Amino acid sequence: MKADVRHVTDGTYLVHGSNTNWVILKEKEGDAVTLIDTGYPGDREQVLASLAQVGSSPEAVAAVLITHAHNDHLGSAEYLRGTHGTPVYLHEAEVPHARRDFLQQVSVGAVLKNSWRPGVLPWIVHAIRSDGLAQLPVGTPQAFPRQGALDLPGRPVPVHTPGHTDGHCAYHLPGLGVVISGDALVSGHPTSRIQGPQLLPDMFHHERARTVASLDLLAELDGDLLLPGHGPVHQGPVREAAHRARELALKVR
Ligand SMILES: [Zn+2]
Ligand SMILES: [Zn+2]
């Protein structure tokens, strides 16, 4: 198994899983990494392969950071926590979501109502095959241990960008000009015909209006490399990417 790992900039890797991305931040020395998101449950072998390909290992993951607790991002978090004792951190508003005290994810019924849209049927077939309907709650998810930059490889700064889910967070690497945007801002999706910065289709957002408002928070972040939860890396000012997604979102309505 070889994972699709792209080296984006100093110690920063974007990995394309089966339909979803994750990010690895590696220290200059040694094998310690921060893993941001973990793909679908069915992507586990690719997660493990990607760690090996950057010269790391599951034991060397200092922490798993999750942008939001949807099944295509949370997939292997509980596996890593249960097997290796890796701490799993999220925004405090997302912690109960990761425990599955509640679920803010599109239902199969809602997706099927949209199945006439291009790409939706193949997407849901893939999601089912990747165990996207399996609920794999995290046993003891934790809120970030501190404000501001986290004391982890890459020194990521969580940025609360609610709407897609209540506790959705982007992660900013100010020194490298990188924004890891999760599902608050993507650059493509199998159910979208548009390429480039955009929001996911409406049905995927818990609160669409808040998701649109959070684009203004992303627009304030200094950076020119956008690593989204879905789609390829986007090069160019993150501010402009957020503005483009906002324009498109307002036009679609
Ligand atoms: Zn999502
Ligand atoms: Zn997603």
Side-chain angles (χ1 to χ4, degrees):
M1 163 81 61
K2 197 166 181 341
D4 183 352
V5 179
R6 313 282 170 109
H7 183 227
V8 180
T9 183
D10 294 354
T12 305
Y13 300 85
L14 180 67
V15 187
H16 296 295
S18 60
N19 248 348
T20 186
N21 301 333
W22 55 91
V23 173
I24 301 172
L25 309 178
K26 190 160 183 276
E27 293 280 23
K28 275 202 181 78
E29 311 281 329
D31 57 359
V33 295
T34 301
L35 177 62
I36 304 181
D37 284 347
T38 62
Y40 277 103
D43 287 342
R44 183 185 302 166
E45 291 306 316
Q46 289 179 65
V47 170
L48 299 177
S50 66
L51 292 170
Q53 282 168 236
V54 306
S56 185
S57 66
E59 295 81 5
V61 178
V64 171
L65 303 181
I66 298 291
T67 58
H68 67 295
H70 279 164
N71 289 348
D72 54 330
H73 300 257
L74 199 63
S76 285
E78 176 60 12
Y79 166 77
L80 288 167
R81 192 198 67 80
T83 311
H84 300 287
T86 319
V88 177
Y89 294 119
L90 314 90
H91 187 272
E92 61 182 349
E94 201 68 4
V95 165
H97 196 197
R99 278 195 307 255
R100 288 292 181 262
D101 294 355
F102 54 81
L103 184 62
Q104 295 181 340
Q105 185 149 19
V106 65
S107 66
V108 175
V111 174
L112 288 177
K113 272 190 204 148
N114 282 272
S115 60
W116 56 272
R117 292 175 186 269
V120 170
L121 268 183
W123 175 81
I124 193 157
V125 168
H126 173 270
I128 291 167
R129 284 198 184 135
S130 305
D131 281 337
L133 303 185
Q135 297 301 336
L136 293 173
V138 178
T140 49
Q142 301 176 61
F144 302 124
R146 55 187 288 175
Q147 296 270 325
L150 301 174
D151 190 16
L152 293 169
R155 308 289 172 272
V157 183
V159 181
H160 188 205
T161 42
H164 183 71
T165 62
D166 285 350
H168 187 289
C169 263
Y171 295 94
H172 188 204
L173 312 179
L176 296 176
V178 169
V179 174
I180 296 146
S181 56
D183 285 2
L185 173 59
V186 302
S187 63
H189 192 265
T191 62
S192 166
R193 281 176 163 172
I194 309 168
Q195 294 185 341
Q198 60 188 289
L199 290 185
L200 286 167
D202 290 4
M203 63 175 167
F204 293 116
H205 303 300
H206 181 60
E207 286 183 273
R208 185 181 190 269
R210 272 179 104 194
T211 313
V212 174
S214 281
L215 288 171
D216 290 345
L217 303 174
L218 289 171
E220 286 169 17
L221 303 177
D222 270 337
D224 48 22
L225 281 169
L226 182 74
L227 278 54
H230 301 275
V233 59
H234 175 78
Q235 295 196 23
V238 171
R239 186 183 346 101
E240 284 174 22
H243 287 161
R244 179 182 188 261
R246 192 170 203 282
E247 268 170 37
L248 284 169
L250 299 176
K251 214 187 282 178
V252 173
R253 277 295 156 110

